[in-house]
Each structure stands twice: as structure tokens, then as C-alpha cells.
Amino acid sequence: MEGNFNTHIGEGNIIYMTLKGSINKNCIPALKEWAQETAKTIKELYQETGQKVKTTVDLSSLVEKYDSEGIMILSSLMKENEPYIERTATFGANWTIKFAEDIVINLAGRKNIKTFENKKDALEWLME
């Protein structure tokens, strides 16, 4: 299953991002487009509200197959949006995806990201 990427603004102006499938070479163009649109959405919400944005990333349907270029695209997105983000909570990643997630977080230099097992715990931390 190739990658499927979605971003939407939910209740309380929380931005929900979902990554599904695998991030392989075939889906890099779609990942790049999604990353650009997501960056735009985050920046616009920040400008509209005048407040840093809270985001979640659902990794529960992401599979272990990922391309190094995809890692770079995701870390660039995280780094680019850092000035606009209050907190990011990720959830649902298995241990191999958590390994890639750690790489993305470290490359982005973000300190305001925390990983969780499930959406409920992620949202509770996000709303603290």
C-alpha cells in the first residue's frame, strides 16, 4: 500500500495530520505536495489566530517501508513549521516507525514533540 497523507483542522483549531501506508519512492511527489500544503495550513492558522498551533500526527496506519527521501521531507516540514507550533503529539507508531520518527525529530531539532501509544493520551497532553 502506497502512502496516503491527509491534513485537516479540527475542533479547537488543532491540526490533525495522518500518514498511512508506506513512504516509498513512488509516493515522494505526493508526500512533497502534502508537506507543502500542510506547511501552508499551519502558517495560515497561526496568522489567523495569532497563536502557536497544536498538531497531532496519526502514525497508526503507517507501515515499516519508508524511503530516506521521505524522512528528509518530513524533517524539513517539522523544522520549517517550528516557529508556528506550540506542541506536536504523535501516536500509534510501532517500534520501527518510532525509530524513523526519532530520526525525523532529531533532524528537525524540535523539542516540543512527544510520542504516545494512542490518540486519547496524545490529545490529553496536547491540551495541558
Side-chain angles (χ1 to χ4, degrees):
M1 177 174 145
E2 284 196 21
N4 182 337
F5 318 106
N6 183 280
T7 300
H8 73 277
I9 302 171
E11 187 178 329
N13 284 331
I14 296 174
I15 293 182
Y16 292 86
M17 295 173 263
T18 305
L19 285 75
K20 296 181 180 179
S22 64
I23 299 177
N24 58 39
K25 289 208 180 294
N26 295 334
C27 70
I28 293 299
L31 181 65
K32 284 181 181 177
E33 183 178 331
W34 170 82
Q36 290 171 345
E37 287 299 314
T38 298
K40 181 179 172 189
T41 299
I42 291 169
K43 188 173 183 178
E44 286 174 352
L45 183 59
Y46 170 79
Q47 290 171 335
E48 286 173 21
T49 64
Q51 298 179 352
K52 288 193 172 193
V53 178
K54 296 177 182 176
T55 63
T56 67
V57 185
D58 180 352
L59 302 172
S60 60
S61 297
L62 194 61
V63 297
E64 291 85 9
K65 296 177 183 167
Y66 47 84
D67 184 81
S68 59
E69 187 176 358
I71 297 280
M72 296 309 295
I73 292 166
L74 293 171
S75 64
S76 292
L77 171 64
M78 299 299 242
K79 189 173 193 165
E80 176 184 343
N81 286 315
E82 196 276 331
Y84 313 112
I85 301 294
E86 179 181 336
R87 287 181 162 184
T88 297
T90 71
F91 63 91
N94 64 36
W95 72 271
T96 55
I97 296 301
K98 282 183 183 178
F99 177 73
E101 182 180 19
D102 287 344
I103 293 169
V104 168
I105 292 168
N106 285 323
L107 287 171
R110 293 271 304 271
K111 305 292 183 212
N112 56 351
I113 298 176
K114 192 168 179 181
T115 61
F116 296 89
E117 295 296 318
N118 59 61
K119 184 177 181 179
K120 179 183 175 286
D121 292 344
L123 289 173
E124 283 178 5
W125 176 78
L126 204 61
M127 299 312 293
E128 283 181 355

